[in-house]
């Protein structure tokens, strides 16, 4: 099969962003398929390519597959207009690629939702079958963020247009992949045939994260401090002010055994840092985004993985954070303030042992209590960490999910060919 993988925000392991696409493209290539992954220039991403852009792109081979990188910068620090422009420019360049070369299948991985445009164009003009992957449900999440005044206020006409595009993608796709059952339900609600909808969740990179990694700690971390690490975006949707408030509660209670380490960037980072300075929070460290390989060492030197989101009900079943998988793979007990799927994931498993604690959404004192409880009970923390790693190996090994991902794509490529033959 000759596969066109449309993923605007692709990154390899050298970057600071999600590497699911890298793993899935590599798995398809390992099964003998020719893979072309088309991406843009995403902040924090590293495609593995070097050298100048010519005529707005550069390309080369990475981990057994071809990468075509368009010179289209995009990142969370951009305003809505700039990001929208980047999304549309990528869609246009990717559509030309899809029409210029011969592919057997396209995979459009959203977000952004506009990756569906080149797939739909090639489907209409060339009859190219495509798979639509939902990593974040759009426009459902932007609508929820706008209603909660956390997403920059996406205009109603734009939400309506996104709704029509999502409908078209779900109804015309040979298969739809959702990262959670909740995401799969959004595809069904938009007209996807039930037999074509599949759940292939995020998984754990057990080679990159785990006990085999050499640990490191920030220089300001005292030997007696347990590090609680949050690694991810610093936007309003992430609700990190709750972490600053929890650090304040811990400081005021005289708890000196915990250091919160917030790794990443985003629109709220400057405000969070200023607030931490204003409160004189010496138990909080901010770090710039780290390559995944460097992050693995920090998690190896930490004691707790911190998973935080703003208290928005839609987040309960519509999010699948990579950071949660990274914490489990690293063998860290997790403290989350997200209900629903995340809370279930860290709850007691079949062995009766939990691998984390779920605090109520947006409740800073409860978050502080959960952190203090794990620090006060080293044996419990160790048992939860061991349960996290065991669960990562048994249930969330990314290689297992990559095999299922490949099977869905292979079946989707066969169905149209069989239909034409009939």
């Amino acid at each position: 099969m000759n596969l066109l993988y449309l993923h605007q925000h692709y990154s390899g392991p050298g970057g600071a962003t999600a590497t699911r696409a890298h793993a899935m493209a590599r798995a398809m290539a390992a099964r003998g398929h020719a893979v072309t992954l088309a991406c843009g220039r995403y902040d924090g991403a590293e495609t593995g390519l070097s050298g100048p852009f010519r005529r707005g792109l550069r390309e080369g081979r990475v981990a057994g597959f071809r990468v075509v990188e368009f010179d289209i910068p995009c990142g969370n620090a951009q305003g809505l207009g700039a990001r929208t422009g980047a999304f549309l420019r990528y869609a246009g360049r990717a559509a030309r690629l899809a029409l210029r070369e011969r592919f057997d299948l396209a995979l459009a991985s959203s977000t952004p939702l506009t990756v569906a445009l080149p797939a739909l164009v090639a489907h209409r003009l060339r009859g190219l079958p495509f798979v639509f992957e939902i990593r974040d449900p759009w426009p459902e999440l932007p609508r929820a963020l706008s209603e909660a005044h956390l997403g920059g206020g996406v205009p109603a006409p734009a939400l309506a247009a996104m709704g029509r595009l999502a409908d078209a993608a779900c109804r015309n796709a040979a298969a739809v992949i959702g990262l959670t059952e909740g995401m799969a339900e959004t595809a069904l609600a938009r007209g996807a045939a039930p037999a074509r909808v599949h759940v292939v969740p995020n998984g754990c990179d057990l080679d990159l994260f785990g006990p085999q990694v050499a640990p490191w700690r920030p220089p300001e971390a005292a030997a007696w401090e347990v590090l609680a690490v949050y690694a991810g975006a610093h936007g309003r949707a992430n609700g990190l002010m709750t972490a600053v408030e929890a650090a304040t509660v811990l400081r005021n209670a005289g708890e000196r055994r915990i250091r919160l380490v917030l790794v990443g960037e985003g629109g709220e980072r400057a405000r969070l840092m200023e607030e931490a300075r204003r409160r004189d929070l010496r138990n909080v460290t901010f770090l710039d985004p780290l390559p995944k390989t460097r992050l693995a060492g920090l998690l190896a030197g930490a004691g707790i993985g911190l998973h935080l989101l703003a208290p928005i009900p839609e987040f309960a079943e519509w999010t699948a954070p990579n950071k949660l998988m990274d914490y489990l793979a690293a063998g860290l007990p997790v403290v989350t303030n997200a209900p629903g799927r995340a809370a279930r994931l860290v709850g007691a498993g079949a062995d009766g042992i939990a691998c984390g604690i779920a605090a109520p959404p947006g409740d800073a004192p409860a978050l502080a209590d959960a952190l203090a409880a794990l620090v006060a009970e080293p044996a419990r923390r160790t048992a939860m960490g061991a349960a996290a790693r065991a669960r990562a190996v048994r249930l969330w090994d990314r290689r297992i999910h990559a095999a299922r991902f490949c099977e869905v794509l292979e079946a989707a490529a066969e169905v149209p060919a069989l239909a034409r033959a009939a």
Side-chain angles (χ1 to χ4, degrees):
M1 181 202 313
N2 193 5
L3 171 69
L4 175 60
Y5 199 145
L6 302 168
H7 193 298
Q8 186 167 355
H9 300 339
Y10 163 77
S11 180
T17 63
T19 57
R20 174 184 171 92
H22 180 82
M24 299 308 176
R26 186 175 60 183
M28 286 293 290
R31 291 166 78 106
H33 302 298
V35 179
T36 295
L37 192 148
C39 64
R41 289 173 48 206
Y42 187 57
D43 285 353
E46 290 290 341
T47 63
L49 301 183
S50 60
F53 289 87
R54 293 185 173 87
R55 296 183 180 179
L57 65 82
R58 61 184 177 184
E59 64 175 275
R61 295 194 66 79
V62 174
F65 57 93
R66 174 191 178 203
V67 174
V68 177
E69 181 182 2
F70 299 118
D71 189 11
I72 303 174
C74 188
N76 292 329
Q78 293 175 320
L80 178 61
R83 286 201 309 276
T84 300
F87 297 160
L88 294 176
R89 287 174 59 206
Y90 171 85
R93 294 297 301 269
R96 289 195 289 275
L97 175 63
L99 295 174
R100 185 175 68 245
E101 300 186 17
R102 296 190 65 86
F103 297 101
D104 301 308
L105 181 72
L107 167 64
S109 185
S110 173
T111 58
L113 179 59
T114 42
V115 296
L117 287 170
L120 286 164
V121 168
H123 179 66
R124 175 65 64 87
L125 298 181
R126 287 282 184 86
L128 180 67
F130 71 93
V131 173
F132 181 49
E133 182 182 39
I134 304 173
R135 291 181 291 114
D136 284 308
W138 281 25
E140 288 84 359
L141 277 185
R143 180 179 292 115
L145 292 171
S146 293
E147 291 173 352
H149 307 292
L150 293 175
V154 179
L159 290 172
M162 283 193 281
R164 291 191 293 272
L165 179 55
D167 288 346
C170 290
R171 292 171 182 170
N172 288 279
V176 179
I177 296 174
L179 270 63
T180 70
E181 289 77 6
M183 294 183 200
E185 289 171 3
T186 68
L188 293 172
R190 292 193 174 279
R196 296 183 179 184
V197 177
H198 310 270
V199 176
V200 183
N202 270 331
C204 296
D205 190 331
L206 302 178
D207 295 323
L208 184 58
F209 297 94
Q212 75 279 4
V213 179
W216 67 273
R217 291 160 60 91
E220 62 270 32
W224 63 81
E225 289 180 322
V226 174
L227 304 186
V229 176
Y230 169 91
H234 288 42
R236 295 179 70 185
N238 305 103
L240 295 185
M241 188 54 71
T242 304
V244 172
E245 292 169 353
T248 304
V249 172
L250 292 166
R251 190 271 312 275
N252 292 346
E255 177 56 81
R256 298 178 61 248
R257 295 171 294 178
I258 307 171
R259 174 170 295 275
L260 276 63
V261 182
L262 306 182
V263 185
E265 62 182 356
E268 288 291 287
R269 187 172 190 251
R271 187 172 77 92
L272 292 165
M273 293 178 71
E274 177 56 33
E275 188 63 21
R277 281 194 294 268
R278 189 185 71 79
R279 301 186 186 200
D280 193 27
L281 294 178
R282 302 181 186 183
N283 57 349
V284 179
T285 292
F286 290 89
L287 296 178
D288 291 338
L290 296 171
K292 287 285 188 177
T293 50
R294 183 72 171 151
L295 175 62
L298 177 63
L299 296 186
I304 299 169
L306 199 52
H307 172 245
L308 301 174
L309 284 168
I312 297 175
E314 288 81 359
F315 283 168
E317 305 298 339
W318 287 354
T319 58
N322 292 282
K323 62 179 73 66
L324 201 50
M325 293 292 109
D326 295 345
Y327 301 154
L328 296 180
L332 290 179
V334 178
V335 172
T336 180
N337 70 349
R341 184 175 183 272
R344 294 194 301 271
L345 196 149
V346 304
D351 54 6
I353 301 176
C355 59
I357 298 174
D363 189 332
L367 178 63
D369 287 345
L371 291 168
L374 284 181
V375 169
E377 301 179 67
R380 182 187 181 198
R381 193 169 72 245
T382 299
M384 282 187 167
R389 177 69 184 187
R391 201 170 298 180
V393 172
R394 188 174 69 254
L395 299 177
W396 302 107
D397 186 339
R398 180 178 274 174
R399 289 166 292 197
I400 299 172
H401 303 304
R404 175 60 182 149
F405 185 91
C406 294
E407 291 167 359
V408 171
L409 267 60
E410 289 163 351
E414 287 296 323
V415 170
L418 292 174
R420 287 195 299 270

